[in-house]
Amino acid sequence: MRGVPQKRKKQMGLEKRMNRLLFSTMIPMACLLVILLLIFWQYAGQYNKLSENLAVSSKFNLSFKDELDLEMYYLAIGSKEASELDDVVGQVEDAQNIMEKLRQNTYHASGVKCLNSLDAYLDNLKKRMVQLMEIKEYDRRMEFMDSNIRIITGLIMQEMQNYIYNESMYLVQVETSLTHRVKILISGMAVLLLATLGILMRRSFRLTGGIIRPVTEMLDKVKKVGRGNFDVLPVSAEIVEIEELDQGINKMAHRISGLLENVRQEKEMQHLTELQLIQAQVNPHFLYNTLDSIVWMIEGERYEDAVFMVTQLASLFRISLSRGKTIISMEDELKHARNYMNIQKIRYKNKFTVEFQVEDAILSCCTVKLVIQPLLENAIYYGMESMDGDGEITVVGYRKGDDVYVEVRDNGLGMPDEMVDALLTENNRVRGSGVGLINVHNRIRLRFGEPYGLEIDSCLDEGTTVRIHLPYIAYSPENTELLEGGRLKQLKGERQDEEK
């Protein structure tokens, strides 16, 4: 069952990720700070204008009534000429200009209403001043002065006090509103600061985790490569630079693995060539002995035995050549072994018997050629020399699970344990073939690796069993080509895929 493919995380460069982290935390703070400054700027402007209005109106209210009443009194009693009325009217007009200036900086309705009343009082005052100067009698002037001028200036003074009071209350409202908004903004900034710190910590932990975790995995991977394990998996990372570094490590591991594999194959080919040169030594020696036997058979007029021997020899060499291949079927290998034993039985005048007990299930599997014949030759030279017609050699072949076993058993003298242990650890040579069991053992392991090769069981005065251990690989052109090329790993991988 195939797993559901995981969604690939969005990747981002380290510099871009850091900038994003910085902007995501600084921009909200900067925006809130700008808003706070704008509010302060707005309220500062209103506060300054209100303060200026209070200063101007307070100054006006301190001197306007007294100075104007005094000037009009002098005009009423005749201390000043009527021509000087224009100067007093100018003071009233200056007051009107002040009202207009205050109007520009007044924002609330009650203040504007007071200024409108002051404008009306000032206009009325100018009219009353002119009317005062038109009255000639002293008593009537003084009476008009008291009942009009002083009353109007008193109203102006009272209305200006109302204006000052309204402006003061509005100033208090501005201060209260400013304080309230500042508290709200400070609270908002505190909440935003905590949220920003939370986001910053979360993204910082995620960023550091996104760096530390893949770097730790890459470190473990490098340690595995250092120990010779090149089957490394790619590391999942959200940062582009780390993934590129991991890809470089993977390429390096695969490159090292490929180079080591090339070196191993070169050494195997070199070793195999040396073994093949050693193996070639069997041909002249065995051929000489066999041809010599054929000659004396012909001389003794044993023509049928000579023909049989020549036929067996031809078949033996045909299989030995195998068109230059080193991998053949088990059926051909056993046929080669039968040809060899048929020749040897004639040469040794039936000094021993040979029996083949082989399961049909292993006949169609692959094997390295010429692995049974050296074992039979050693059994003849070591096991049958002291036998006098009662020697027995048995070849047993069977399959066990995914493994194939071929055993060469004899009832000869056997060997002590120390000699058995030395056979597969030293390059021992046996007379006759010049090919030791260690060479057969090495040839099998070069093709199939451990734990395959030879296994030896021997007991003094009872006999010896040499067991060939091979993997079961069906004989086919494709499998033969892979084994000839030393690509056993690829063949095993294909077998595992077929089993799945």
Side-chain angles (χ1 to χ4, degrees):
M1 182 178 178
R2 296 183 179 178
V4 179
Q6 295 183 352
K7 185 178 180 180
R8 185 176 178 85
K9 295 181 178 178
K10 184 178 181 180
Q11 291 185 326
M12 190 180 298
L14 182 59
E15 181 179 0
K16 187 176 180 180
R17 189 174 291 275
M18 292 294 292
N19 291 336
R20 182 179 178 183
L21 177 63
L22 180 62
F23 287 139
S24 64
T25 54
M26 295 302 296
I27 288 179
M29 295 296 296
C31 292
L32 196 60
L33 184 61
V34 169
I35 293 173
L36 183 62
L37 291 175
L38 289 175
I39 291 175
F40 271 117
W41 181 271
Q42 177 186 2
Y43 279 95
Q46 291 183 3
Y47 188 85
N48 291 333
K49 290 178 180 179
L50 286 171
S51 300
E52 183 180 355
N53 287 351
L54 288 173
V56 171
S57 59
S58 298
K59 183 180 179 181
F60 173 83
N61 211 32
L62 285 175
S63 59
F64 178 77
K65 176 176 173 56
D66 294 337
E67 291 179 358
L68 191 65
D69 285 348
L70 182 60
E71 291 295 330
M72 291 306 297
Y73 175 75
Y74 288 151
L75 288 172
I77 63 175
S79 297
K80 288 187 176 184
E81 299 293 334
S83 59
E84 295 182 16
L85 178 62
D86 293 338
D87 295 336
V88 181
V89 173
Q91 292 179 10
V92 176
E93 291 176 350
D94 291 339
Q96 288 179 323
N97 293 332
I98 292 173
M99 297 304 112
E100 184 63 28
K101 183 178 180 181
L102 291 175
R103 191 189 303 276
Q104 294 175 359
N105 296 332
T106 302
Y107 301 99
H108 57 99
S110 58
V112 174
K113 183 179 179 181
C114 290
L115 292 176
N116 292 335
S117 298
L118 287 170
D119 284 336
Y121 290 148
L122 290 171
D123 287 336
N124 192 17
L125 180 61
K126 285 195 295 182
K127 295 178 181 179
R128 299 301 179 185
M129 290 169 60
V130 174
Q131 291 177 358
L132 177 65
M133 297 308 296
E134 292 177 352
I135 299 174
K136 303 301 182 179
E137 294 85 358
Y138 175 81
D139 292 337
R140 287 184 61 195
R141 280 188 178 183
M142 296 305 296
E143 182 181 357
F144 190 86
M145 178 74 182
D146 293 335
S147 59
N148 288 277
I149 302 300
R150 285 193 175 94
I151 291 175
I152 294 175
T153 55
L155 291 173
I156 292 173
M157 182 177 180
Q158 184 179 354
E159 195 65 31
M160 184 58 75
Q161 288 177 349
N162 291 335
Y163 175 80
I164 293 173
Y165 172 78
N166 290 329
E167 287 294 289
S168 299
M169 294 304 296
Y170 186 65
L171 180 60
V172 172
Q173 292 178 4
V174 170
E175 290 178 349
T176 303
S177 177
L178 177 61
T179 302
H180 179 69
R181 290 196 177 185
V182 168
K183 287 181 180 180
I184 293 176
L185 283 174
I186 291 176
S187 300
M189 287 187 69
V191 172
L192 183 60
L193 180 60
L194 291 175
T196 303
L197 288 176
I199 295 173
L200 179 61
M201 291 180 64
R202 180 177 178 275
R203 292 193 174 182
S204 297
F205 288 145
R206 183 178 178 183
L207 179 61
T208 53
I211 296 175
I212 293 174
R213 180 190 58 77
V215 168
T216 302
E217 292 181 5
M218 286 190 292
L219 179 60
D220 293 339
K221 182 190 296 186
V222 171
K223 290 180 180 178
K224 289 181 180 178
V225 172
R227 291 193 295 265
N229 183 5
F230 299 102
D231 295 330
V232 293
L233 298 175
V235 174
S236 176
E238 299 180 13
I239 299 176
V240 176
E241 291 84 352
I242 293 181
E243 185 171 80
E244 291 177 352
L245 178 61
D246 178 66
Q247 291 174 355
I249 293 175
N250 291 340
K251 290 180 181 178
M252 178 190 70
H254 293 316
R255 178 67 174 169
I256 293 174
S257 177
L259 292 174
L260 290 177
E261 182 66 19
N262 292 338
V263 171
R264 186 189 65 80
Q265 290 180 1
E266 289 177 1
K267 287 185 177 181
E268 287 183 358
M269 293 302 297
Q270 182 181 359
H271 196 184
L272 187 60
T273 302
E274 293 174 357
L275 291 176
Q276 289 173 344
L277 291 175
I278 295 174
Q279 177 189 345
Q281 297 176 13
V282 71
N283 296 331
H285 181 80
F286 176 73
L287 180 61
Y288 171 78
N289 291 332
T290 304
L291 291 177
D292 186 55
S293 297
I294 292 172
V295 169
W296 63 256
M297 284 180 185
I298 295 174
E299 289 177 349
E301 297 182 354
R302 296 171 55 189
Y303 300 118
E304 292 183 2
D305 291 339
V307 171
F308 177 77
M309 204 167 191
V310 170
T311 303
Q312 295 296 309
L313 183 64
S315 177
L316 183 144
F317 276 101
R318 179 184 61 80
I319 297 174
S320 297
L321 293 174
S322 301
R323 298 180 181 178
K325 296 181 180 179
T326 58
I327 302 297
I328 62 175
S329 68
M330 182 62 73
E331 184 177 8
D332 286 343
E333 178 65 14
L334 289 168
K335 184 177 181 181
H336 179 272
R338 288 189 177 95
N339 295 148
Y340 176 77
M341 293 306 292
N342 288 335
I343 294 172
Q344 294 292 52
K345 283 173 64 178
I346 295 175
R347 286 187 59 217
Y348 284 89
K349 300 178 182 180
N350 294 320
K351 195 174 182 179
F352 53 84
T353 61
V354 179
E355 183 180 2
F356 285 83
Q357 301 175 3
V358 181
E359 296 179 358
D360 293 339
I362 70 170
L363 296 179
S364 59
C365 73
C366 295
T367 181
V368 180
K369 73 178 180 181
L370 303 184
V371 292
I372 300 178
Q373 179 265 329
L375 275 57
L376 294 170
E377 190 170 2
N378 286 333
I380 293 172
Y381 285 136
Y382 281 104
M384 301 294 105
E385 279 190 342
S386 61
M387 310 299 290
D388 189 13
D390 56 352
E392 295 179 1
I393 297 176
T394 306
V395 179
V396 179
Y398 57 93
R399 178 178 177 180
K400 189 175 181 181
D402 290 333
D403 294 331
V404 172
Y405 296 92
V406 178
E407 297 179 355
V408 177
R409 306 170 183 170
D410 67 71
N411 62 343
L413 298 176
M415 294 176 287
D417 292 339
E418 57 271 15
M419 183 179 292
V420 172
D421 294 336
L423 283 175
L424 297 182
T425 56
E426 299 177 6
N427 193 13
N428 290 297
R429 292 172 178 254
V430 296
R431 67 181 185 274
S433 69
V435 181
L437 296 181
I438 185 65
N439 291 326
V440 176
H441 181 67
N442 287 340
R443 287 171 59 214
I444 294 174
R445 287 207 164 181
L446 279 173
R447 288 297 178 185
F448 301 111
E450 296 185 9
Y452 305 107
L454 298 184
E455 303 169 2
I456 302 176
D457 297 323
S458 185
C459 186
L460 284 174
D461 300 326
E462 292 186 10
T464 302
T465 298
V466 182
R467 186 178 303 105
I468 300 172
H469 181 193
L470 300 171
Y472 182 83
I473 299 175
Y475 184 77
S476 66
E478 295 80 8
N479 292 345
T480 303
E481 183 179 356
L482 291 174
L483 289 174
E484 292 282 356
R487 291 175 287 175
L488 180 62
K489 288 184 178 180
Q490 180 178 346
L491 180 58
K492 288 182 177 179
E494 292 178 354
R495 290 177 64 188
Q496 291 175 356
D497 292 339
E498 291 176 359
E499 290 175 359
K500 290 181 180 179

